Amino acid sequence: MKGKIRLTTLCYILGIFWIYKLECLLYVDRLFTVFYFGLSLLQLFIAIYLLQRNEYKIGGYDKLIIAFCVLMIAMNIINKTSYMHSIKEVIRILLMWSTVKIGVTSDEGSFFEWAYKIGLTCTVLNTISAIIFPNSMYVDAMGAASVFLLGGDNAAIRLYILSIMFGVLYNFYHRKKYKIPVFAIFNLILFAFLRDIATAKLMAVIIIAFLFILELKDIKFLTPTFAIIFNAFIFFTVVIMQSISNFYVNIFEALGRNATLTYRTTLWSISFKWILERPWFGYGYLDDDSFNFMVKERTATGLFNTGNPHNTYLTLLLAGGIVLFTFFIIILIRTSKMSRECPIFITNVLSGFLATLMLHAQVEGRDQAFILLICCVIYYVSKIKDGLPIINKKRLKLFR
């Protein structure tokens, strides 16, 4: 029994370290890329071994995640494009799925403790690097090593969001009460202002708002269904409408921001036209160079190197068209249905983080794995509802 416990713990600790991958090391030496790839394979082998056991039986939800991954690779085969980049993304999704499934199912309290402490440590060190090197670029013009542990741009914000979510869950299971992880939130705010990332500031405001309201009362409408509908509204009214007209340009300018949201609206417009050309199966999951080449081919100026459309939902539509995107929506809907088995308070908290990350995905191009990670947390926590801690609901004092 002790051996089995050690193996499950090793499995999800390796998975957590993969989630908070130290990006800067990948620019220092290629050997670190080999190291991380080997780490991911080790975790997958352990996960496969554990998932054969009855306590980790593969269910319908798990099959949906696996089918989504298989379909992502299939789209590259159908489109006759290189599938190496899609394999990397599939490995990332499978790592996160198996980490959450095994961690929550085997020992959710210990899992959330490890996830919070590792996540907070990594994000704090990343913020410290932003303090020491306030004007540093993520990667300089010559491709030199980044000084940031996790990253210095908008893509790193999803890791800060996860660290706050794991902090709340850690307090649930170890302190048996609702407590806002103040230090983790302060860490996000400090990083947002140091790097002047407008999206991060907005995410911090949203997180503080719904966590503070939950100190006072339950938010009955805050469910995964709300997160889906709200972000669908944002996607169609902002991303799609801006792709076919310039209606929002004046609004952005009035807010004192770049009217193109740092050229994101230009990318959205280009990507939307490509999607209309291949609506069903897309172009395959493209690597940065392939996407940049397509952009340069179709713009008079050759536009910048962005690597993706900077919108996760457009990224999925480009990768696999309506077919792949439909599978993604089905997973979200299945998550929403399962969340009804969970106490409303815990559902509120997790749905708030899901809605926040899905909103972040409106301006970041590769958030799908992290959205699915939160979906898995919601699903598996709901599945073990009988083992959930009884939360102290005397919430009126903000910081206890």
Side-chain angles (χ1 to χ4, degrees):
M1 177 62 70
K2 290 183 178 180
K4 183 174 72 173
I5 293 173
R6 284 200 297 270
L7 195 58
T8 56
T9 304
L10 175 62
C11 183
Y12 63 68
I13 288 177
L14 288 175
I16 294 166
F17 271 112
W18 173 262
I19 294 170
Y20 291 94
K21 187 169 60 173
L22 309 183
E23 294 282 356
C24 68
L25 298 180
L26 306 185
Y27 294 99
V28 174
D29 197 309
R30 289 184 181 273
L31 286 177
F32 286 110
T33 303
V34 176
F35 168 75
Y36 270 108
F37 185 70
L39 194 69
S40 66
L41 289 179
L42 175 61
Q43 197 270 358
L44 277 179
F45 283 135
I46 296 174
I48 291 170
Y49 171 74
L50 292 173
L51 289 170
Q52 293 176 348
R53 300 179 176 181
N54 290 331
E55 61 263 42
Y56 305 114
K57 185 178 180 181
I58 301 294
Y61 188 80
D62 306 310
K63 291 175 183 177
L64 272 176
I65 299 287
I66 295 170
F68 177 81
C69 292
V70 171
L71 192 58
M72 181 174 284
I73 296 176
M75 289 303 172
N76 285 74
I77 296 173
I78 291 171
N79 286 286
K80 298 180 180 179
T81 53
S82 173
Y83 47 81
M84 288 306 298
H85 194 59
S86 64
I87 289 177
K88 291 178 183 178
E89 183 65 14
V90 162
I91 289 175
R92 180 162 71 165
I93 293 171
L94 291 176
L95 277 167
M96 292 184 180
W97 158 70
S98 60
T99 296
V100 173
K101 179 178 175 65
I102 292 171
V104 173
T105 304
S106 64
D107 185 2
E108 64 278 2
S110 179
F111 169 69
F112 290 131
E113 179 180 10
W114 277 102
Y116 174 54
K117 291 182 178 179
I118 292 174
L120 184 62
T121 300
C122 290
T123 52
V124 166
L125 289 174
N126 195 61
T127 302
I128 290 173
S129 66
I131 296 173
I132 298 173
F133 305 99
N135 300 314
S136 178
M137 297 298 291
Y138 181 41
V139 180
D140 69 19
M142 300 302 292
S146 167
V147 297
F148 297 100
L149 192 68
L150 302 175
D153 62 354
N154 192 40
I157 301 308
R158 56 202 179 197
L159 300 177
Y160 284 78
I161 294 172
L162 289 182
S163 72
I164 299 170
M165 182 189 74
F166 286 132
V168 176
L169 291 170
Y170 167 70
N171 289 326
F172 277 171
Y173 283 90
H174 284 268
R175 301 186 181 184
K176 301 297 186 291
K177 63 183 180 181
Y178 176 65
K179 183 177 180 181
I180 296 175
V182 181
F183 187 71
I185 294 176
F186 173 75
N187 186 38
L188 168 60
I189 295 171
L190 180 59
F191 182 75
F193 278 92
L194 285 170
R195 300 299 296 165
D196 191 24
I197 304 174
T199 307
K201 297 172 187 176
L202 176 60
M203 299 300 104
V205 169
I206 293 172
I207 290 171
I208 292 170
F210 79 76
L211 288 180
F212 178 78
I213 293 172
L214 285 172
E215 277 279 354
L216 306 175
K217 62 178 182 179
D218 295 334
I219 310 174
K220 293 184 179 180
F221 69 84
L222 188 54
T223 63
T225 300
F226 168 79
I228 297 168
I229 294 174
F230 173 72
N231 277 282
F233 175 78
I234 296 295
F235 182 68
F236 284 106
T237 57
V238 177
V239 179
I240 299 299
M241 289 301 295
Q242 184 59 32
S243 296
I244 60 180
S245 71
N246 291 320
F247 177 76
Y248 292 97
V249 167
N250 293 331
I251 297 177
F252 295 143
E253 290 180 340
L255 293 173
R257 307 302 300 184
N258 185 306
T260 64
L261 292 181
T262 326
Y263 298 103
R264 281 174 170 81
T265 56
T266 305
L267 284 170
W268 296 345
S269 180
I270 295 170
S271 300
F272 187 67
K273 291 176 183 177
W274 291 343
I275 291 166
L276 293 178
E277 292 175 8
R278 294 189 187 179
W280 293 104
F281 300 106
Y283 295 80
Y285 196 69
L286 303 174
D287 59 24
D288 291 0
D289 291 338
S290 298
F291 179 83
N292 293 337
F293 179 77
M294 287 178 66
V295 172
K296 290 174 182 177
E297 263 195 330
R298 302 198 181 196
T299 56
T301 60
L303 214 55
F304 38 43
N305 296 323
T306 62
N308 62 75
H310 280 272
N311 179 285
T312 296
Y313 313 110
L314 289 177
T315 298
L316 289 173
L317 285 166
L318 274 175
I322 295 172
V323 175
L324 182 65
F325 192 69
T326 299
F327 263 79
F328 184 74
I329 297 299
I330 291 172
I331 293 172
L332 291 174
I333 294 173
R334 185 71 185 88
T335 302
S336 180
K337 289 182 178 179
M338 190 64 188
S339 69
R340 297 170 188 170
E341 303 293 325
C342 195
I344 183 63
F345 185 51
I346 296 178
T347 299
N348 284 168
V349 171
L350 293 176
S351 299
F353 285 105
L354 177 62
T356 304
L357 189 55
M358 288 183 70
L359 184 61
H360 179 264
Q362 303 280 3
V363 292
E364 190 57 41
R366 303 194 192 279
D367 276 355
Q368 60 272 4
F370 298 90
I371 292 173
L372 292 177
L373 184 150
I374 296 182
C375 285
C376 288
V377 171
I378 294 172
Y379 184 87
Y380 296 115
V381 165
S382 300
K383 198 169 183 180
I384 59 164
K385 57 183 183 298
D386 294 334
L388 293 174
I390 298 174
I391 308 300
N392 180 1
K393 292 192 175 182
K394 295 179 181 180
R395 312 176 194 156
L396 294 179
K397 294 180 181 180
L398 182 56
F399 306 127
R400 288 189 282 272

